[in-house]
Amino acid sequence: MKRTVLFLTILCFTLTTVHAQEIEVTGSRKAVRTSGDIGAVLLPAAGLTAILVQKDWEGLKQGALAGITTLGATYILKYAIKKERPDRSDMHSFPSMHTSVSFTAASFIQRRYGWKWGIPAYVVSTYVGWSRVYGKKHDWWDVTAGAVIGIGSSYIFTRPFAQKHELTLSPIAGDGHCGIYASLKF
């Protein structure tokens, strides 16, 4: 019994000590992280460029709504769940912000401008997600959740989905609560 308690005490101390040390990432992992960072900025910039070139002001509104929804959902989950990153740098691993933003942009581009532009955008988004795992900032659950949030936000707010399924969003308030009412036809 005493040996078991001693073993568990040493194990807990060891895990706590290892847990507190951030894993240093160098070389190729650092380069991949940086390229993933660039991809996460490049995709929203590409979507915005397409909007401006085509003077697609309805697309601007739809993209902004998808982006705001993605950022809000991702931040709320990061601070509510407080999952430690694989590199032990902080407690904001779940979900991956880079992945959610890049998949929002990719799915917006695909929904708004077609698969011709959507396929390359999804390839870049997938690379961004992979780079976050390879760079030890996230695991696959974090990246998958980010992709789902990003794609879901764009699919809700881009015109083809909204028209086809008659999406209705309305603010509601009363009896000490407030929120948004959403209705879809399937």
Side-chain angles (χ1 to χ4, degrees):
M1 177 71 172
K2 287 182 182 181
R3 287 183 186 179
T4 305
V5 171
L6 179 62
F7 174 75
L8 290 174
T9 305
I10 291 170
L11 181 64
C12 288
F13 178 75
T14 304
L15 291 175
T16 304
T17 305
V18 171
H19 178 77
Q21 297 173 353
E22 183 176 341
I23 297 171
E24 186 176 341
V25 176
T26 59
S28 67
R29 288 189 194 275
K30 198 168 195 173
V32 168
R33 253 194 214 179
T34 302
S35 63
D37 293 345
I38 292 167
V41 172
L42 180 67
L43 280 169
L48 183 58
T49 301
I51 287 168
L52 296 175
V53 166
Q54 296 188 30
K55 296 180 180 163
D56 180 12
W57 309 127
E58 182 64 25
L60 179 63
K61 182 175 87 174
Q62 293 172 11
L65 287 169
I68 290 167
T69 301
T70 295
L71 291 173
T74 303
Y75 270 115
I76 288 168
L77 288 170
K78 277 185 175 294
Y79 286 90
I81 294 174
K82 297 181 181 181
K83 180 180 172 213
E84 185 178 34
R85 291 184 186 272
D87 71 354
R88 300 184 180 105
S89 61
D90 64 34
M91 299 296 287
H92 303 296
S93 185
F94 184 87
S96 168
M97 179 71 76
H98 285 70
T99 306
S100 66
V101 167
S102 63
F103 271 93
T104 299
S107 60
F108 170 80
I109 290 167
Q110 177 265 313
R111 296 289 290 164
R112 194 76 183 155
Y113 305 114
W115 282 105
K116 177 182 176 183
W117 300 104
I119 289 173
Y122 277 120
V123 168
V124 172
S125 290
T126 302
Y127 175 80
V128 169
W130 173 81
S131 75
R132 302 305 288 167
V133 174
Y134 183 78
K136 301 289 185 194
K137 279 300 201 182
H138 294 286
D139 60 30
W140 286 108
W141 288 110
D142 304 337
V143 168
T144 301
V148 168
I149 291 167
I151 292 169
S153 296
S154 284
Y155 268 65
I156 287 170
F157 289 107
T158 51
R159 172 175 270 154
F161 185 82
Q163 281 184 338
K164 182 178 176 185
H165 297 287
E166 296 181 30
L167 173 65
T168 304
L169 295 173
S170 305
I172 57 171
D175 296 330
H177 67 276
C178 62
I180 297 176
Y181 170 78
S183 172
L184 292 172
K185 287 187 179 178
F186 290 97

